[in-house]
């Protein structure tokens, strides 16, 4: 394809336009689906450059809690930027199209920028704790997360020991529900899994503050939509010698977030150990281990 050819350099199927390049092109659609919680870019009503700006600034129904809306906008901006750079690399450098590499670059940029933004908005004392921390010796920490699409949700659990070693990673498809309900079900599932594994001392950790406050802070009532789930979680405490619940910032929950996204993209459940982790999950776990003290 010549440099003056008006066809899309990524697919060659249509005349290149902003709408086609960023949303209708099969390559762009694959990147959106894998990098933005299973978003079907071809279903969006985009007909002009102003529509693209509006989409980024005011994304559709959030796939996370309202206070985390900025994550969606930040991720969308990185996706559009990567598609543009991929187009230019293909046009001017004759680079090969590598969708998986583009997805990896988006994930790395998103993680870097979101961490910087969070660090800038928190006091220094809090910023020091923006890394995953291992549990005490003899304890197992289970991080939990959930992801939402229009047709289903996914629950994810990552279990690690005091050295940061991954013991098991689980994810499963779940019925469509609100973010807070999905997060609560993820905590309940983590308790059930820990009981099945016969772990006696467990920490349950996640970034859904509305779910963890009723479990860890006295006199904080749960939202009505998760009250029954919270009751079920608390009833399982008798199965353990010790169990504690802890809310953490999203950047401390990256491995489980990557696991939930993997299940959204693949539409499959997952059960694996440290030797067969999906690439994105392995990368997130390795990043966490950079901050684990040597014993």
């Amino acid at each position: 394809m010549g440099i003056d050819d008006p066809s899309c350099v990524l697919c060659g199927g249509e005349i290149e336009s902003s709408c086609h390049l960023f949303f209708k092109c099969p390559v762009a659609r694959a990147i959106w689906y894998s990098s933005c919680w299973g978003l079907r870019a071809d279903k969006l009503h985009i007909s002009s450059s102003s529509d693209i700006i509006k989409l980024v600034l005011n994304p559709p129904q959030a796939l996370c809690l309202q206070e985390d809306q900025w994550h969606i906008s930040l991720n969308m901006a990185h996706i559009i930027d990567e598609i543009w750079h991929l187009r230019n690399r293909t046009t001017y450098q004759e680079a090969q199209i590598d969708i998986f590499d583009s997805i990896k670059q988006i994930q790395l940029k998103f993680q870097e920028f979101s961490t910087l933004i969070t660090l800038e908005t928190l006091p220094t004392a809090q910023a020091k704790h923006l890394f995953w921390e291992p549990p005490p010796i003899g304890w197992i920490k289970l991080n939990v997360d959930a992801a939402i699409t229009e047709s289903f949700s996914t629950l994810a659990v990552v279990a690690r020991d005091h050295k940061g070693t991954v013991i098991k990673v689980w994810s499963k498809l779940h019925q469509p529900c609100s973010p807070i309900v999905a997060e609560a079900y993820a905590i309940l599932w983590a308790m059930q899994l820990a009981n099945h594994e016969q772990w006696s001392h467990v920490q349950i950790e996640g970034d859904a503050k509305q779910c963890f406050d009723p479990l860890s802070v006295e006199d904080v009532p749960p939202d009505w939509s998760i009250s029954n789930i919270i009751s079920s979680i608390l009833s399982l405490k008798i199965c353990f010698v010790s169990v504690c619940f802890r809310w953490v910032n999203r950047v401390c929950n990256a491995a489980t977030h990557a696991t939930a996204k993997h299940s959204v993209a693949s539409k499959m459940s997952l059960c694996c150990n440290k030797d067969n982790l999906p690439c994105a999950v392995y990368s997130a776990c390795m990043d966490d281990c950079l901050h684990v003290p040597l014993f």
Side-chain angles (χ1 to χ4, degrees), residues 139-140 142 191 194 199-204 240 242-244:
W139 288 65
I140 303 298
L142 297 96
M191 292 284 282
W199 294 326
S200 59
H201 295 73
V202 298
Q203 292 182 347
I204 311 294
F240 305 91
S242 297
V243 60
C244 65

Side-chain angles (χ1 to χ4, degrees), residues 92-163:
Y92 302 112
Q93 301 175 15
E94 298 183 355
Q96 296 294 315
I97 297 173
D98 188 337
I99 293 176
F100 293 104
D101 182 68
S102 290
I103 293 169
K104 180 180 178 181
Q105 294 304 316
I106 293 166
Q107 292 174 340
L108 291 173
K109 290 179 182 177
F110 175 78
Q111 184 175 8
E112 178 183 356
F113 275 78
S114 60
T115 301
L116 287 173
I117 291 172
T118 306
L119 287 171
E120 290 175 356
T121 56
L122 287 177
T124 303
Q126 295 183 40
K128 292 180 181 178
H129 301 287
L130 286 181
F131 303 108
W132 183 83
E133 298 176 354
I137 295 176
W139 288 65
I140 303 298
K141 176 174 284 189
L142 297 96
N143 284 80
V144 303
D145 203 1
I148 311 298
T149 73
E150 292 182 357
S151 55
F152 66 95
S153 59
T154 62
L155 313 182
V157 180
V158 176
R160 287 171 282 190
D161 64 13
H162 68 281
K163 294 182 179 180

Side-chain angles (χ1 to χ4, degrees), residues 186-197:
I187 300 171
L188 176 60
W189 189 37
M191 292 284 282
Q192 294 167 340
L193 290 169
N195 183 37
H196 178 75
E197 296 290 333

